[in-house]
């Protein structure tokens, strides 16, 4: 009985993942690490060194993530190509988004994006998108 309990809880006890920043624009890349821990089964929160996020949505590969109905009667549907977890948090002047994507059975890619909630210089705000990837045993 103890063995069954330990195997059911193993995902909750998985070690935090350490992902490396993917630097496509070397000038603006800080080369930081992202420490990521998914809390709950299924995850309800994410703790990271970039803040604590509340999980907004989990979509498995093939799930419909959104539908748009156009005025001419057409409907466009977006389908997730891989497992996707969306999370966020809000402060007075910004909304921080985190998108976690499974790129393989053992790897994740995380995109962080800051959406300003007040007027800002949007040329600088567009530098707020950062991507991290690496091996991770955590499940969602």
């Amino acid at each position: 009985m103890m063995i069954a309990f330990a195997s059911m809880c193993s995902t909750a006890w998985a070690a935090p993942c350490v992902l490396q920043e993917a630097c496509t624009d070397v000038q603006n890349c800080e080369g930081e690490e992202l420490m990521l821990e998914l809390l709950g089964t299924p995850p309800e929160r994410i703790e990271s060194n970039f803040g604590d996020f509340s999980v907004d949505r989990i979509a498995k590969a093939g799930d419909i993530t959104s539908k748009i109905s156009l005025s001419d009667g057409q409907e466009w549907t977006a389908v997730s190509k891989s497992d996707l977890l969306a999370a966020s948090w809000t402060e007075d002047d910004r909304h921080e988004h985190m998108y976690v994507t499974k790129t393989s059975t053992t790897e994740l890619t995380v995109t962080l994006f800051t959406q300003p909630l007040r007027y800002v210089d949007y040329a600088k705000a567009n530098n707020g998108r950062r991507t991290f990837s690496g091996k991770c045993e955590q499940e969602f």
Side-chain angles (χ1 to χ4, degrees):
M1 191 164 300
M2 181 64 106
I3 294 171
F5 177 74
S7 69
M8 287 172 44
C9 297
S10 63
T11 57
W13 294 337
C17 301
V18 179
L19 308 176
Q20 296 297 313
E21 187 168 15
C23 297
T24 54
D25 182 0
V26 178
Q27 285 181 302
N28 293 323
C29 184
E30 298 178 31
E32 287 191 57
E33 292 180 336
L34 169 69
M35 293 182 62
L36 181 77
E37 185 170 12
L38 307 177
L39 302 174
T41 306
E44 295 176 2
R45 283 184 341 122
I46 298 174
E47 287 185 357
S48 79
N49 54 322
F50 287 88
D52 293 345
F53 293 76
S54 296
V55 173
D56 300 322
R57 178 176 194 164
I58 297 174
K60 296 296 183 185
D63 285 356
I64 294 173
T65 57
S66 65
K67 286 185 178 183
I68 300 171
S69 296
L70 303 176
S71 60
D72 64 0
Q74 292 184 41
E75 186 172 274
W76 291 9
T77 303
V79 177
S80 180
K81 290 186 177 183
S82 57
D83 293 354
L84 171 70
L85 182 149
S88 63
W89 60 264
T90 303
E91 244 181 32
D92 293 336
D93 59 347
R94 66 185 184 153
H95 190 85
E96 191 77 28
H97 299 272
M98 177 185 283
Y99 299 99
V100 182
T101 306
K102 270 193 176 183
T103 51
S104 75
T105 56
T106 60
E107 292 197 13
L108 296 179
T109 296
V110 174
T111 301
L112 292 174
F113 174 71
T114 302
Q115 176 185 5
L117 298 177
R118 297 183 183 168
Y119 177 79
V120 296
D121 180 349
Y122 281 93
K124 291 179 183 176
N126 287 336
N127 291 334
R129 185 180 306 265
R130 298 174 74 180
T131 305
F132 301 81
S133 62
K135 295 204 177 293
C136 185
E137 299 296 325
Q138 296 193 35
E139 295 289 328
F140 61 88

